[in-house]
Amino acid sequence: HKDLRATDCPGKNFPFDEIVNNAMISRPTPEMNNKIKQFQHAAIADGFSFPKYGADGKWGSETESVARQAVCKKRPVYRYKNLTRLVQAEVGAEVDGKFGSNTRKAVIAYQKANGLMPDGAWGINCWRRYMEE
């Protein structure tokens, strides 16, 4: 876009200000390292990797990429038990590493209380909110 360098501008069809403002509000900063580091360690325990930076406690492209993949939700087979424990502790559900009906209900309540889409799945927007606090 022209604000960064000379390009063919798509005009009003590209809401640049809206995109920038939303990105600035919802993206955790590198200084928010306690919960980020917890997330990174739990993700590693659940089979994810941070090959470039490791568990550095900073929100960057590597951590965001893992957070996009690390969706905790009710499934026939439990995945991401360590990440699910973080979610359960955050939403006040029993911390057992199993994303069951009670965890799903608690996630929906958390999502509603935080202005997020109440779908019962803990995805990137929930991880961002979690790491902002």
Short mmCIF file of all heavy atoms in Angstrom, two decimals, residues 97-120:
data_model
loop_
_atom_site.label_atom_id
_atom_site.label_comp_id
_atom_site.label_asym_id
_atom_site.label_seq_id
_atom_site.Cartn_x
_atom_site.Cartn_y
_atom_site.Cartn_z
N GLY A 97 -6.85 -31.49 31.22
CA GLY A 97 -6.27 -31.69 29.90
C GLY A 97 -7.20 -32.29 28.88
O GLY A 97 -6.80 -32.58 27.76
N LYS A 98 -8.47 -32.46 29.24
CA LYS A 98 -9.46 -33.01 28.31
C LYS A 98 -10.49 -31.93 27.99
O LYS A 98 -11.13 -31.41 28.89
CB LYS A 98 -10.15 -34.22 28.95
CG LYS A 98 -9.21 -35.35 29.25
CD LYS A 98 -9.92 -36.48 29.96
CE LYS A 98 -8.94 -37.59 30.32
NZ LYS A 98 -9.61 -38.64 31.09
N PHE A 99 -10.62 -31.62 26.73
CA PHE A 99 -11.53 -30.56 26.31
C PHE A 99 -12.92 -31.16 26.13
O PHE A 99 -13.33 -31.52 25.03
CB PHE A 99 -11.04 -29.92 25.01
CG PHE A 99 -11.57 -28.55 24.77
CD1 PHE A 99 -10.74 -27.46 24.87
CD2 PHE A 99 -12.90 -28.34 24.45
CE1 PHE A 99 -11.22 -26.18 24.65
CE2 PHE A 99 -13.39 -27.06 24.22
CZ PHE A 99 -12.55 -25.98 24.33
N GLY A 100 -13.65 -31.25 27.23
CA GLY A 100 -14.99 -31.82 27.21
C GLY A 100 -16.07 -30.74 27.21
O GLY A 100 -15.80 -29.56 26.98
N SER A 101 -17.28 -31.15 27.49
CA SER A 101 -18.44 -30.25 27.45
C SER A 101 -18.33 -29.10 28.44
O SER A 101 -18.69 -27.97 28.12
CB SER A 101 -19.73 -31.03 27.72
OG SER A 101 -19.94 -31.98 26.71
N ASN A 102 -17.86 -29.38 29.66
CA ASN A 102 -17.74 -28.31 30.65
C ASN A 102 -16.69 -27.28 30.24
O ASN A 102 -16.88 -26.07 30.43
CB ASN A 102 -17.41 -28.88 32.03
CG ASN A 102 -18.59 -29.63 32.61
OD1 ASN A 102 -19.74 -29.39 32.25
ND2 ASN A 102 -18.31 -30.57 33.49
N THR A 103 -15.59 -27.74 29.66
CA THR A 103 -14.57 -26.80 29.19
C THR A 103 -15.14 -25.98 28.05
O THR A 103 -14.94 -24.76 27.99
CB THR A 103 -13.30 -27.55 28.74
OG1 THR A 103 -12.77 -28.27 29.86
CG2 THR A 103 -12.25 -26.60 28.20
N ARG A 104 -15.85 -26.62 27.15
CA ARG A 104 -16.44 -25.90 26.01
C ARG A 104 -17.40 -24.81 26.50
O ARG A 104 -17.37 -23.68 26.02
CB ARG A 104 -17.18 -26.88 25.09
CG ARG A 104 -17.75 -26.21 23.85
CD ARG A 104 -18.40 -27.24 22.90
NE ARG A 104 -18.79 -26.61 21.67
CZ ARG A 104 -19.90 -25.89 21.52
NH1 ARG A 104 -20.73 -25.71 22.53
NH2 ARG A 104 -20.18 -25.34 20.35
N LYS A 105 -18.24 -25.13 27.48
CA LYS A 105 -19.17 -24.13 28.03
C LYS A 105 -18.41 -22.97 28.66
O LYS A 105 -18.78 -21.80 28.50
CB LYS A 105 -20.09 -24.78 29.06
CG LYS A 105 -21.13 -25.69 28.46
CD LYS A 105 -21.94 -26.38 29.56
CE LYS A 105 -22.82 -27.47 28.97
NZ LYS A 105 -23.47 -28.28 30.00
N ALA A 106 -17.34 -23.28 29.38
CA ALA A 106 -16.54 -22.23 30.02
C ALA A 106 -15.83 -21.37 28.97
O ALA A 106 -15.70 -20.15 29.13
CB ALA A 106 -15.52 -22.85 30.98
N VAL A 107 -15.39 -21.98 27.88
CA VAL A 107 -14.76 -21.23 26.79
C VAL A 107 -15.77 -20.29 26.15
O VAL A 107 -15.47 -19.12 25.87
CB VAL A 107 -14.12 -22.18 25.75
CG1 VAL A 107 -13.76 -21.44 24.46
CG2 VAL A 107 -12.88 -22.84 26.33
N ILE A 108 -16.99 -20.77 25.92
CA ILE A 108 -18.03 -19.91 25.33
C ILE A 108 -18.30 -18.71 26.24
O ILE A 108 -18.42 -17.57 25.77
CB ILE A 108 -19.31 -20.72 25.05
CG1 ILE A 108 -19.07 -21.68 23.88
CG2 ILE A 108 -20.50 -19.81 24.77
CD1 ILE A 108 -20.19 -22.68 23.63
N ALA A 109 -18.39 -18.94 27.54
CA ALA A 109 -18.60 -17.83 28.49
C ALA A 109 -17.44 -16.84 28.42
O ALA A 109 -17.65 -15.62 28.43
CB ALA A 109 -18.78 -18.38 29.90
N TYR A 110 -16.22 -17.34 28.36
CA TYR A 110 -15.02 -16.49 28.24
C TYR A 110 -15.08 -15.67 26.95
O TYR A 110 -14.81 -14.47 26.94
CB TYR A 110 -13.78 -17.36 28.28
CG TYR A 110 -12.47 -16.63 28.07
CD1 TYR A 110 -11.74 -16.17 29.15
CD2 TYR A 110 -11.97 -16.40 26.79
CE1 TYR A 110 -10.53 -15.50 28.96
CE2 TYR A 110 -10.78 -15.74 26.59
CZ TYR A 110 -10.06 -15.29 27.68
OH TYR A 110 -8.87 -14.61 27.48
N GLN A 111 -15.43 -16.34 25.86
CA GLN A 111 -15.50 -15.65 24.57
C GLN A 111 -16.55 -14.54 24.60
O GLN A 111 -16.29 -13.42 24.13
CB GLN A 111 -15.81 -16.65 23.45
CG GLN A 111 -14.64 -17.58 23.17
CD GLN A 111 -14.99 -18.74 22.27
OE1 GLN A 111 -16.10 -19.28 22.31
NE2 GLN A 111 -14.02 -19.16 21.46
N LYS A 112 -17.72 -14.81 25.15
CA LYS A 112 -18.76 -13.80 25.25
C LYS A 112 -18.30 -12.62 26.12
O LYS A 112 -18.50 -11.46 25.76
CB LYS A 112 -20.05 -14.39 25.83
CG LYS A 112 -20.78 -15.29 24.87
CD LYS A 112 -22.03 -15.88 25.52
CE LYS A 112 -22.78 -16.80 24.58
NZ LYS A 112 -23.96 -17.41 25.23
N ALA A 113 -17.67 -12.92 27.24
CA ALA A 113 -17.22 -11.88 28.17
C ALA A 113 -16.12 -11.02 27.57
O ALA A 113 -15.92 -9.88 27.99
CB ALA A 113 -16.73 -12.51 29.47
N ASN A 114 -15.40 -11.55 26.58
CA ASN A 114 -14.28 -10.83 26.00
C ASN A 114 -14.55 -10.34 24.58
O ASN A 114 -13.62 -9.96 23.86
CB ASN A 114 -13.02 -11.71 26.02
CG ASN A 114 -12.46 -11.81 27.42
OD1 ASN A 114 -11.79 -10.92 27.88
ND2 ASN A 114 -12.78 -12.90 28.11
N GLY A 115 -15.81 -10.36 24.16
CA GLY A 115 -16.17 -9.83 22.85
C GLY A 115 -15.66 -10.67 21.69
O GLY A 115 -15.42 -10.13 20.60
N LEU A 116 -15.50 -11.96 21.91
CA LEU A 116 -15.02 -12.85 20.85
C LEU A 116 -16.17 -13.71 20.34
O LEU A 116 -17.18 -13.88 21.02
CB LEU A 116 -13.91 -13.76 21.40
CG LEU A 116 -12.68 -13.04 21.97
CD1 LEU A 116 -11.79 -14.03 22.72
CD2 LEU A 116 -11.91 -12.34 20.86
N MET A 117 -16.01 -14.27 19.16
CA MET A 117 -17.03 -15.14 18.59
C MET A 117 -17.21 -16.36 19.51
O MET A 117 -16.26 -17.12 19.71
CB MET A 117 -16.59 -15.60 17.20
CG MET A 117 -17.47 -16.68 16.62
SD MET A 117 -19.04 -16.04 16.11
CE MET A 117 -18.69 -15.72 14.42
N PRO A 118 -18.41 -16.55 20.07
CA PRO A 118 -18.63 -17.65 21.02
C PRO A 118 -18.88 -18.98 20.33
O PRO A 118 -19.99 -19.49 20.28
CB PRO A 118 -19.85 -17.18 21.81
CG PRO A 118 -20.60 -16.34 20.84
CD PRO A 118 -19.57 -15.68 19.98
N ASP A 119 -17.80 -19.57 19.79
CA ASP A 119 -17.94 -20.82 19.05
C ASP A 119 -17.50 -22.05 19.86
O ASP A 119 -17.63 -23.17 19.40
CB ASP A 119 -17.19 -20.76 17.73
CG ASP A 119 -15.69 -20.55 17.90
OD1 ASP A 119 -15.20 -20.51 19.04
OD2 ASP A 119 -15.00 -20.42 16.87
N GLY A 120 -16.93 -21.83 21.04
CA GLY A 120 -16.52 -22.95 21.88
C GLY A 120 -15.17 -23.54 21.54
O GLY A 120 -14.73 -24.48 22.19
#
